[in-house]
Amino acid sequence: MHESQQHFVAPADEVEVLATDRVVDAGAPTSIWGDAWRRLRRNPVFLVAVVLIVLVLLVVVWPSLFTSQDPKQCFGEFGMDSPRPGHPFGFDKQGCDVYARTIYGARASVSVGIGAAMLFLLVGGVLGALSGFFGGLLDTIVSRIAEIFFAIPMVLAAIVLLQLLRPTTVLTVILILVAFTWPQAARIARGAVIEAKNSEYVTAAEALGVSRLGTLVRHVLPNAAGPLIVVATLWLGVFIVTEATLSFLGVGLPPDIVSWGADIARAKYEIRTSPILFYPAAALAVTVLSFILLGDAVRDALDPKERTR
C-alpha cells in the first residue's frame, strides 16, 4: 500500500465524542382538516366571509332582532314615501316597509340556497362517490344520466317546471334546482373518489379485511370531501341568485312569500325615481359575495397547489 493511502485510527479512549443528535419536537401529527383550519384562521378573506355569513344567518333565524315591522303590512297612504324614523329605507309603491321586507326577504332566499346546497351535496356526492368507487355498470349508468342533465339549461328547465307545478313552495324550488345541478357534484365526487381509492391507505384497509363499502365510508370519503365542500359552498351562492332570478321573473316563490327577487321585481319600475330597488339588491349581492369568498378561502386551504408557505 502506498504511504499516502495508509489509514491511522486513534484509540477510542482518546476520541472525544460530541453530541450531534438532538431531539426535535415536531408536534402532534395533524390531518388535512386541521392544517386547513389553521390556514383559514390566518386568512382575512375567510374571517370577513364568516362575519358576513353569521350576520346573514342571524337575520334569517331572528329577523325580529332587526325590525319590529310586519313586512306584509302595507299602508296605501305611505306609498313611495321617503325614509322616516322606524322606516329607514322608506316605503314601496304599495306602502310596505322596504327595510322590513329586506330583512324578512333573507329567510326565503337563503333557505332556498342552503337547502339546495345540502341536497345538491347529498345527491350528487353519493351518486358520484358510488360510481367512482365501484365503477363498472353503475359508473356507466350514472355518467350517462348525468350527461343528459348536463345538456339541459337549469334556468330554462326551472322556468318550465315551475310554471307547471303551481302553486310553488320553497321545497319545490329546492327540488327543481337540485334536479338539474346534481351532476356537477357527482362529477367532482367521482374524480375525487377515483383519485383517493388508489391510495396506499385504501389498500391497507382492504388488506385488514375492511369491506369495500366500509372502506368507502371510513377512508375514501373523508379524504375526498374537500372538493365537494368547496363546490357546494360556491353553488350555494348560485342557488340564492337563481331563486332571486326566478322570483324576479314571476315563476319562483309565490307572492305571499317575501323574497329579495320578488321585491326587486316590484321596484324595477321605480328605479329612476326611488332607490328602493337597491336595498334588496345590495342584500342579495352581499350574501352571495360572502358565500363565494368562503368557498374561495376553503378551496385555497384544502388545495395543495394553492397553498403558500
Side-chain angles (χ1 to χ4, degrees):
M1 178 180 293
H2 195 271
E3 293 183 359
S4 62
Q5 296 177 333
Q6 294 180 359
H7 298 278
F8 298 93
V9 179
D13 56 353
E14 298 180 4
V15 177
E16 181 181 2
V17 180
L18 301 177
T20 58
D21 295 333
R22 61 178 179 177
V23 178
V24 179
D25 184 10
T30 60
S31 64
I32 184 175
W33 299 104
D35 184 58
W37 173 240
R38 287 199 306 272
R39 293 177 181 276
L40 286 174
R41 287 183 299 178
R42 298 194 296 266
N43 189 344
V45 174
F46 171 77
L47 299 178
V48 171
V50 168
V51 170
L52 292 175
I53 290 173
V54 169
L55 178 61
V56 170
L57 293 180
L58 283 175
V59 172
V60 171
V61 179
W62 293 292
S64 59
L65 293 177
F66 300 89
T67 180
S68 59
Q69 302 296 324
D70 185 356
K72 297 182 181 180
Q73 186 178 12
C74 303
F75 304 92
E77 63 272 18
F78 295 155
M80 300 305 299
D81 275 8
S82 57
R84 63 179 63 182
H87 309 278
F89 294 168
F91 299 86
D92 62 11
K93 192 172 183 179
Q94 288 75 28
C96 302
D97 184 86
V98 176
Y99 175 73
R101 293 188 66 85
T102 301
I103 292 296
Y104 278 88
R107 175 169 293 178
S109 299
V110 175
S111 296
V112 169
I114 294 178
M118 294 177 62
L119 192 58
F120 164 86
L121 183 63
L122 178 63
V123 175
V126 169
L127 291 177
L130 292 175
S131 64
F133 188 76
F134 293 103
L137 180 61
L138 177 62
D139 186 24
T140 302
I141 294 174
V142 173
S143 298
R144 298 296 82 78
I145 295 176
E147 289 172 359
I148 295 173
F149 282 93
F150 270 127
I152 303 174
M154 177 184 64
V155 175
L156 179 59
I159 291 174
V160 174
L161 289 179
L162 288 173
Q163 288 282 17
L164 298 175
L165 300 176
R166 292 290 183 177
T168 58
T169 62
V170 171
L171 181 59
T172 305
V173 176
I174 290 175
L175 293 176
I176 291 176
L177 292 180
V178 174
F180 294 95
T181 56
W182 67 266
Q184 303 285 346
R187 181 178 62 179
I188 299 297
R190 179 179 179 274
V193 167
I194 288 177
E195 181 180 358
K197 77 174 185 178
N198 295 320
S199 303
E200 294 181 355
Y201 59 83
V202 175
T203 304
E206 293 177 347
L208 293 173
V210 180
S211 64
R212 298 206 67 191
L213 185 60
T215 301
L216 172 63
V217 174
R218 294 168 54 188
H219 300 286
V220 176
L221 281 180
N223 289 278
L228 273 176
I229 294 175
V230 172
V231 73
T233 306
L234 295 174
W235 269 92
L236 197 156
V238 174
F239 290 136
I240 295 176
V241 172
T242 304
E243 182 279 323
T245 302
L246 295 173
S247 297
F248 178 84
L249 296 174
V251 296
L253 298 175
D256 61 322
I257 297 179
V258 181
S259 69
W260 288 331
D263 284 357
I264 293 173
R266 291 173 53 169
K268 64 182 177 181
Y269 299 108
E270 285 77 33
I271 187 172
R272 295 180 181 272
T273 59
S274 176
I276 61 175
L277 179 145
F278 295 100
Y279 300 123
L284 175 65
V286 170
T287 301
V288 174
L289 177 63
S290 63
F291 284 108
I292 290 177
L293 291 177
L294 177 65
D296 288 341
V298 174
R299 179 196 61 196
D300 294 343
L302 291 176
D303 188 357
K305 296 180 182 179
E306 298 291 338
R307 296 177 183 176
T308 56
R309 295 291 181 182

